[in-house]
């Protein structure tokens, strides 16, 4: 019951107190006296200077009723306060607000859930009122702390617990709305407040049963869900908070998310973490996306020593963030993203190498295998992130990223790469090479350059081709696939998939354009380099079917994208040289590899003959293929790459009609206007320094080869007599490698420069006599079923970088290795 006073005392009391007392009925169940409430409201509006006194008196009565647990009168007092607050808008409302907030705080401090909810509802109504002028002295620290505590309510009754949590979330939402719009009153963004608000919201968001895993923006919750479901209401409040964040306070809003995910161990599994960052990326302003990415990268650095699954979870979150940011503004973090990811890729490979070494020594093989697999998860996540990020960059940035990644690929014998591989060892170095090339493959996917010079500049082509000479089939496959991504500007690669004899190339509907001047210039400058890598790649001992398929695709793409008449002749010379190398077998390749090369040559010559549409050439190729189908099916790709294919014991007994003959090809092309003079010159790979850097055996291991022809059947004018006399001084110079390396480099440079810049007629004149001799000897080998008795007509003097000199019969020379200077 309210306190009753006598009539005399009542007449002496101030009018505002009498008006306030009259709104309270004798029985609180009757509710607010509306007639007296209207009088009080009219009085407050007419005399706004009395508002602060009205508020103070109402606060005094409410505090007394709260202590005495008179909930009915508390409800009436708060209803009156709400109506006065909504009705009065003036400068004098400021003191009244202080009394109002004091009463709300009293309700929130009470232990009764009903009063806490009542106070929260009143505060939310107050938060929706737009004040004419802000009060810079007013702070909401207590309300932030109290509402955050309510969000974590652990009441035993589930319904009451849900009600209190909803009230806490709505209270936080009210604080945010009341404070976040005013830049001068930015206390809500201080770390001590964000560290309470954000975890409280995330704690309630965790209760979502079905996490939205779609790439697009999650759907907006309905109004009914917002009111009844704490998880949905918390998510909506979190979105609103992030949507109001500005450049200066973005980091304060994001960092508590990492702390919450770390504390509750939500990186593995990371479904909730991914969901949170999707909300963040879609809620913030697009120009601030790079801030979130920087924070994720920083957290990844901070957790670099955690378990692989935790790091993989963070990287997958980064992937989702990058996928969203790539559609808008990425900002200045492009190189930082790639640099950080590549650093963690190296760390993951290093951890994997350490696990393997520990497993080989210790007894915990099962645990080591599990950690090894976890590190592969990390590596795959990094590669996916790099690829997705790179594929969404504009072309000019993608070119820079391609150069950036390529500069980090370690190559044996060089120090030009940036990554520190001193602790990795050979196995770890190979692993990091594969990972980086896979990343590069992802970045180059879908890249379309107008000219091949833009896609493959010299500064990128040279380091890219270096791994193609390494004794690792997987590395060579990755290099070829990267090359295909950059060469295939008309999406023809899918039509060429799989090495096979194509009956009618026209059915493939190959798309091609006229070769532009820039592409022609590129082939004149870099064509020999590409041919050389294809030639040497075909002769690797660890080649598998995929290697031959990719090499075939490389030849086909060069034909489609870059081939004019001159390039076509060079490619045919290359194919014939590969056929000759398989027949002579100077590298002692297994029979499968020799037949694989023969099948590759058949598939390519079938393709190029139909592409240039020379009938006589097509007829010759078709005839050879037809004969092979009947007599030597292992020379065709459809047969040799089957699981159970019968292989021949040798190739020396095969007839000429099973091979593609240079004279037949030259005759057919010459009749169609092609310049076929160069077909008579056998293809010989250029001499470079790449082989020493790639740890492979190569023809350039021999520094110089000089032939001394002493046969009576050869005219004396054709004799090459520039042999070097073997003396003590010569041997001493050969053994003394100090200073010899520079001389060798200079010698190679002069030879390469000569073959690149000298007129073709001059080079052809110098090589004509030796080329004729080589072709005659090759024809003799094809016709002979056994080697002739050793009656050498000439000797071969070999001057090696290792000072090994010998003389051998001419007919035992390995002709494709011959490089005439």
């Amino acid at each position: 019951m309210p306190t009753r006073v006598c009539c005399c005392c009542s007449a002496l009391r101030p009018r505002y107190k009498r008006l306030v007392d009259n709104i309270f009925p004798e029985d609180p169940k009757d509710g607010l006296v509306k007639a007296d409430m209207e009088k009080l409201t009219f009085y407050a509006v007419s005399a706004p200077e009395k508002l602060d006194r009205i508020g103070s008196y109402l606060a005094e009565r409410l505090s007394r009723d709260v202590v005495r647990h008179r909930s009915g009168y508390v409800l009436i007092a708060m209803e009156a306060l709400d109506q006065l607050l909504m009705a009065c808008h003036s400068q004098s409302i400021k003191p009244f607000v202080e009394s109002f907030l004091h009463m709300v705080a009293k309700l929130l401090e009470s232990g009764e859930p009903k009063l806490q909810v009542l106070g929260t509802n009143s505060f939310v109504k107050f938060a929706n009122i737009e004040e004419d002028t802000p009060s810079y002295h007013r702070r909401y620290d207590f309300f932030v702390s109290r509402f955050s505590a309510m969000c974590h309510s652990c009441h035993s009754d589930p319904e009451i617990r849900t009600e209190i949590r909803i009230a806490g979330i709505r209270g936080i939402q009210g604080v945010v709305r009341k404070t976040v719009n005013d830049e001068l009153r930015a206390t809500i963004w201080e770390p001590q407040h964000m560290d309470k608000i954000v975890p409280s919201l995330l704690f309630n968001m965790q209760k979502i049963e079905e996490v939205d895993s779609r790439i697009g923006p999650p759907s907006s919750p309905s109004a009914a869900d917002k009111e009844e479901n704490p998880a949905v209401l918390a998510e909506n409040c979190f979105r609103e908070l992030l949507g109001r964040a500005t450049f200066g306070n973005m980091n304060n809003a994001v960092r508590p998310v990492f702390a919450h995910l770390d504390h509750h161990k939500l990186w593995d599994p990371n479904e909730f973490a991914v969901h949170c960052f999707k909300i963040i990326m879609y809620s913030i302003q697009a120009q601030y996306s790079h801030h979130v990415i920087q924070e994720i990268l920083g957290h990844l650095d901070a957790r670099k020593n955690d378990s692989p699954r935790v790091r993989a979870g963070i990287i997958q979150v980064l992937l989702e963030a990058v996928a969203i940011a790539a559609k808008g503004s990425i900002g200045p973090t492009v190189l930082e993203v790639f640099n950080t990811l590549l650093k963690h890729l190296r760390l993951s490979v290093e951890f994997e190498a350490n696990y393997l070494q520990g497993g080989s020594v210790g007894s915990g093989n099962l645990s080591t295998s599990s950690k090894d697999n976890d590190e592969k998860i990390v590596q795959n996540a990094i590669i996916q992130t790099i690829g997705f990020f790179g594929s969404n960059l504009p072309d000019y940035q993608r070119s820079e990223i391609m150069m950036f990644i390529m500069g980090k690929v370690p190559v044996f014998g060089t120090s030009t790469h940036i990554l520190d591989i001193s602790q990795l060892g050979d196995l770890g170095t190979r692993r990091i090479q594969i990972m980086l090339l896979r990343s590069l493959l992802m970045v180059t996917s879908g890249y379309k350059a107008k000219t091949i010079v833009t896609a493959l500049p010299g500064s990128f082509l040279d380091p890219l081709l270096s791994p193609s000479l390494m004794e690792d089939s997987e590395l060579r496959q990755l290099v070829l696939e990267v090359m295909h991504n950059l060469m295939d500007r008309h999406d023809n690669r899918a039509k060429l998939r799989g090495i096979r004899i194509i009956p009618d190339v026209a059915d493939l509907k190959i798309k091609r354009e006229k070769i532009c001047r820039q592409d022609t210039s590129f082939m004149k400058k870099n064509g020999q380099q590409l041919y050389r890598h294809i030639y040497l790649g075909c002769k690797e001992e660890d080649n598998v079917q995929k290697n031959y398929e990719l090499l075939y695709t490389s030849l086909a793409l060069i034909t489609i994208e870059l081939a004019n008449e001159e390039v076509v002749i060079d490619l045919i010379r290359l194919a014939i040289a590969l056929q000759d190398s398989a027949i002579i077998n100077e590298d002692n390749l297994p029979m499968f590899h020799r037949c694989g090369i023969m099948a590759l040559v058949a598939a390519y010559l079938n393709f190029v003959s139909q592409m240039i549409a020379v009938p006589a050439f097509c007829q010759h190729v078709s005839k050879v293929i037809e004969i092979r189908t009947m007599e030597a099916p292992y020379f065709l790709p459809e047969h040799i790459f089957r699981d159970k294919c019968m292989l021949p014991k040798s190739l020396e007994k095969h007839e000429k009609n099973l091979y593609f003959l240079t004279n037949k090809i030259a005759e057919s092309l010459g009749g169609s206007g092609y310049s076929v003079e160069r077909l008579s010159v056998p293809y010989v790979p250029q001499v470079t320094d790449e082989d020493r850097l790639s740890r492979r055996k190569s023809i350039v291991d021999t520094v110089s080869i000089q032939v001394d022809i002493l046969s009576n059947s050869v005219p004396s004018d054709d004799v090459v007599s520039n042999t070097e006399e073997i003396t003590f001084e010569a041997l001493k110079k050969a053994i003394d490698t100090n200073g010899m390396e520079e001389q060798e480099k200079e010698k190679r440079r002069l030879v390469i420069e000569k073959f690149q810049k000298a007129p073709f007629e001059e080079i052809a004149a110098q090589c004509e006599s030796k080329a004729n001799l080589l072709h005659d000897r090759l024809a003799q080998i094809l016709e002979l079923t056994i080697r002739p008795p050793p009656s050498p007509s000439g000797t071969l003097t070999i001057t090696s970088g290792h000072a090994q000199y010998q003389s051998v019969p001419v007919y035992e020379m390995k002709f494709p290795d011959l490089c005439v200077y």
Side-chain angles (χ1 to χ4, degrees):
M1 293 289 293
T3 304
R4 312 303 295 179
V5 294
C6 64
C7 295
C8 296
C9 294
S10 175
L12 295 176
R13 299 184 70 205
R15 185 182 179 185
Y16 72 88
K17 287 189 177 182
R18 284 181 282 147
L19 292 173
V20 170
D21 290 338
N22 290 338
I23 66 174
F24 291 92
E26 292 186 4
D27 187 356
K29 295 181 180 180
D30 295 338
L32 181 68
V33 180
K34 294 184 179 180
D36 291 328
M37 186 64 215
E38 291 177 358
K39 295 179 182 179
L40 178 61
T41 303
F42 178 77
Y43 176 77
V45 173
S46 303
E49 67 277 3
K50 300 293 186 179
L51 269 175
D52 59 331
R53 298 184 182 184
I54 295 174
S56 299
Y57 186 59
L58 274 171
E60 180 184 344
R61 288 192 60 119
L62 184 138
S63 299
R64 185 171 61 247
D65 292 335
V66 168
V67 172
R68 295 176 181 178
H69 300 286
R70 296 175 176 175
S71 300
Y73 290 118
V74 172
L75 294 175
I76 294 173
M78 290 306 302
E79 185 179 354
L81 282 170
D82 293 341
Q83 292 189 22
L84 288 174
L85 197 64
M86 299 297 294
C88 302
H89 298 282
S90 67
Q91 294 290 336
S92 302
I93 202 175
K94 303 301 179 186
F96 176 74
V97 170
E98 298 302 324
S99 300
F100 170 80
L101 293 178
H102 177 69
M103 287 184 281
V104 172
K106 284 288 185 181
L107 295 179
L108 295 177
E109 286 178 336
S110 68
E112 297 185 22
K114 184 184 298 184
L115 297 182
Q116 291 179 353
V117 174
L118 178 64
T120 301
N121 293 336
S122 296
F123 182 85
V124 171
K125 294 177 183 178
F126 162 71
N128 291 328
I129 297 176
E130 295 184 4
E131 301 182 48
D132 297 334
T133 56
S135 295
Y136 302 117
H137 65 281
R138 190 186 304 156
R139 297 183 65 87
Y140 296 91
D141 299 10
F142 167 80
F143 295 99
V144 170
S145 300
R146 191 60 194 162
F147 289 138
S148 298
M150 292 171 64
C151 290
H152 292 82
S153 173
C154 297
H155 198 280
S156 57
D157 189 338
E159 293 184 0
I160 296 178
R161 180 171 65 244
T162 300
E163 188 177 5
I164 294 175
R165 288 185 179 181
I166 289 176
I169 296 169
R170 295 179 65 238
I172 289 177
Q173 193 173 29
V175 174
V176 171
R177 290 177 178 176
K178 194 65 179 175
T179 61
V180 81
N181 288 329
D182 198 328
E183 295 181 359
L184 297 178
R185 190 172 59 229
T187 56
I188 194 66
W189 294 109
E190 293 176 357
Q192 64 266 28
H193 298 319
M194 287 290 106
D195 290 344
K196 298 174 183 177
I197 292 175
V198 174
S200 300
L201 298 176
L202 296 178
F203 175 77
N204 286 276
M205 287 168 57
Q206 285 179 246
K207 304 304 178 181
I208 297 179
E209 295 181 0
E210 295 181 2
V211 175
D212 186 2
S213 60
R214 293 169 297 178
I215 295 298
S219 57
S220 299
S222 63
D225 291 337
K226 293 180 184 178
E227 296 296 331
E228 300 176 0
N229 192 336
V232 176
L233 184 63
E235 180 178 324
N236 183 65
C237 182
F238 189 49
R239 293 176 188 277
E240 185 176 349
L241 175 68
L242 294 168
R244 298 173 184 268
T246 60
F247 180 84
N249 47 49
M250 176 61 63
N251 293 341
N252 291 339
V254 174
R255 286 172 183 168
V257 178
F258 293 108
H260 180 83
L261 297 175
D262 290 343
H263 179 72
H264 292 276
K265 299 179 180 179
L266 296 174
W267 295 112
D268 177 33
N270 68 338
E271 286 82 3
F272 180 72
V274 171
H275 180 66
C276 288
F277 277 92
K278 280 186 178 181
I279 293 175
I280 292 173
M281 296 302 294
Y282 281 116
S283 300
I284 63 175
Q285 300 179 45
Q287 62 267 30
Y288 303 147
S289 297
H290 62 278
H291 281 287
V292 180
I293 294 176
Q294 283 179 325
E295 289 296 321
I296 300 175
L297 292 173
H299 194 68
L300 181 60
D301 286 336
R303 305 299 299 269
K304 64 182 180 181
N305 293 323
D306 281 18
S307 67
R309 290 190 174 272
V310 170
R311 286 181 283 126
I314 299 174
I315 294 169
Q316 288 170 357
V317 167
L318 178 63
L319 172 61
E320 297 294 338
V322 163
I324 299 171
K327 301 174 184 176
S329 172
I330 298 178
T333 60
V334 175
L335 283 180
E336 181 182 354
V337 170
F338 284 97
N339 192 40
T340 302
L341 290 175
L342 293 177
K343 179 179 68 176
H344 283 277
L345 183 62
R346 181 191 61 80
L347 286 174
S348 178
V349 172
E350 185 175 337
F351 290 150
E352 182 183 12
N354 292 337
Y355 295 150
L356 292 175
Q357 291 176 0
S360 62
V361 177
S363 58
N365 292 331
L366 183 61
S367 175
T368 299
S369 176
S370 175
K371 291 181 178 179
D372 183 24
N373 293 332
D374 290 345
E375 288 297 341
K376 286 183 170 59
I377 295 175
V378 175
Q379 294 161 16
N380 291 331
I382 293 175
I383 291 172
Q384 281 186 332
T385 306
I386 290 175
F388 194 92
F389 197 4
S391 61
N392 283 278
L393 291 175
D395 288 346
Y396 72 93
Q397 279 188 323
R398 206 192 300 198
S399 299
E400 294 177 359
I401 296 304
M402 287 158 50
M403 291 292 301
F404 182 73
I405 297 176
M406 197 65 243
K408 291 182 176 290
V409 177
V411 179
F412 291 112
T414 67
S415 58
T416 56
H417 50 84
I418 304 172
L419 286 180
D420 180 17
I421 59 170
S422 57
Q423 305 297 324
L424 296 180
D426 288 350
L427 182 61
T429 301
R430 176 190 176 275
R431 185 70 178 164
I432 196 67
Q433 288 171 332
I434 292 175
M435 293 295 106
L436 290 173
L437 288 175
R438 285 178 59 190
S439 303
L440 187 62
L441 180 64
M442 295 284 288
V443 173
T444 56
S445 178
Y447 181 68
K448 295 292 187 296
K450 293 183 179 179
T451 62
I452 196 65
V453 179
T454 305
L456 289 171
S459 56
F460 179 75
L461 180 63
D462 293 339
L464 174 64
L465 290 178
S466 293
S468 71
L469 297 179
M470 294 182 180
E471 292 182 332
D472 191 305
S473 61
E474 187 175 359
L475 283 174
R476 299 196 302 274
Q477 291 170 11
L478 289 170
V479 171
L480 291 173
E481 289 176 338
V482 172
M483 291 280 293
H484 298 169
N485 281 346
L486 298 174
M487 281 186 182
D488 185 21
R489 293 171 288 175
H490 298 90
D491 298 321
N492 292 312
R493 184 172 43 167
K495 304 171 186 177
L496 302 170
R497 185 169 294 130
I499 181 172
R500 65 194 188 279
I501 302 297
I502 303 173
D504 189 356
V505 175
D507 292 340
L508 300 181
K509 297 181 181 179
I510 299 292
K511 298 178 182 178
R512 62 184 309 190
E513 296 178 1
K514 185 178 179 181
I515 309 302
C516 64
R517 182 170 54 85
Q518 293 88 341
D519 291 350
T520 301
S521 176
F522 172 84
M523 288 305 294
K524 286 184 178 179
K525 183 177 180 180
N526 302 294
Q528 294 298 324
Q529 188 178 10
L530 295 176
Y531 305 151
R532 175 176 183 272
H533 283 266
I534 293 175
Y535 178 82
L536 297 178
C538 290
K539 298 168 63 177
E540 292 289 351
E541 295 182 359
D542 60 342
N543 278 342
V544 295
Q545 179 179 350
K546 185 176 180 181
N547 290 90
Y548 292 114
E549 290 178 350
L550 294 173
L551 289 164
Y552 163 74
T553 305
S554 300
L555 291 169
L557 287 176
I558 293 175
T559 305
I560 296 170
E561 299 286 349
L562 303 170
N564 53 17
E565 291 188 4
E566 182 179 350
V567 174
V568 168
I569 295 298
D570 286 337
L571 290 171
I572 294 174
R573 289 176 59 220
L574 173 61
I576 297 301
L578 286 171
Q579 176 181 258
D580 294 344
S581 70
I583 297 171
I584 301 174
N585 194 25
E586 80 285 0
D587 288 331
N588 295 320
L589 293 174
M591 186 57 66
F592 170 78
H593 294 76
R594 297 172 69 184
C595 293
I597 294 175
M598 300 292 283
L600 168 69
V601 172
Y604 175 67
L605 288 181
N606 173 71
F607 176 81
V608 71
S609 65
Q610 297 185 54
M611 287 295 294
I612 64 177
V614 176
F617 186 21
C618 293
Q619 184 178 2
H620 172 64
V621 173
S622 300
K623 184 178 179 181
V624 173
I625 292 175
E626 183 180 353
I627 297 174
R628 287 186 177 186
T629 303
M630 295 183 294
E631 300 182 11
Y634 39 79
F635 284 168
L636 298 176
E638 290 82 358
H639 295 270
I640 185 60
F641 295 124
R642 291 191 308 188
D643 292 336
K644 297 180 180 180
C645 177
M646 298 296 295
L647 298 176
K649 296 182 179 179
S650 65
L651 302 184
E652 286 77 8
K653 297 182 180 181
H654 288 81
E655 300 295 333
K656 278 186 178 182
N657 55 7
L658 290 175
Y659 304 119
F660 301 100
L661 302 178
T662 305
N663 58 346
K664 295 284 187 180
I665 297 175
E667 181 181 349
S668 61
L669 294 178
S672 298
Y674 281 80
S675 178
V676 296
E677 291 82 3
R678 285 182 300 136
L679 280 178
S680 61
V681 181
Y683 170 77
V684 179
Q686 285 184 346
V687 179
T688 68
D689 290 333
E690 288 176 322
D691 300 271
R692 289 189 308 157
L693 305 181
S694 60
R695 288 188 179 179
R696 74 181 302 278
K697 53 184 181 298
S698 169
I699 63 168
V700 297
D701 216 22
T702 302
V703 177
S704 64
I705 301 179
Q706 301 167 341
V707 180
D708 182 14
I709 303 298
L710 303 177
S711 174
N712 294 329
S713 61
V714 180
S716 59
D717 294 339
D718 294 334
V719 175
V720 180
S721 58
N722 57 337
T723 57
E724 178 182 352
E725 183 181 359
I726 302 178
T727 63
F728 175 77
E729 291 297 330
L731 290 173
K732 182 178 179 182
K733 290 180 180 179
I735 296 173
D736 184 11
T737 59
N738 296 331
M740 287 294 293
E741 185 174 354
E742 293 298 327
Q743 296 179 14
E744 293 172 4
K745 288 183 178 180
E746 180 65 18
K747 187 175 180 181
R748 293 191 183 101
R749 188 189 65 79
L750 292 175
V751 172
I752 294 172
E753 183 178 354
K754 176 179 178 181
F755 275 86
Q756 286 179 341
K757 298 182 178 180
F760 175 76
E761 291 77 9
E762 179 182 340
I763 299 175
Q766 294 178 2
C767 301
E768 183 177 3
S769 61
K770 303 170 187 61
N772 292 334
L773 176 63
L774 291 176
H775 271 282
D776 293 341
R777 181 56 61 187
L778 180 60
Q780 293 176 16
I781 291 176
L782 293 176
E783 293 174 356
L784 293 176
T785 57
I786 57 172
R787 287 185 182 271
S791 57
S793 59
T795 59
L796 171 67
T797 304
I798 302 176
T799 304
S800 171
H802 301 284
Q804 296 177 357
Y805 298 83
Q806 57 182 339
S807 296
V808 298
V810 172
Y811 60 77
E812 293 182 0
M813 290 191 300
K814 298 176 181 179
F815 296 105
D817 282 0
L818 193 60
C819 184
V820 183
Y821 292 157

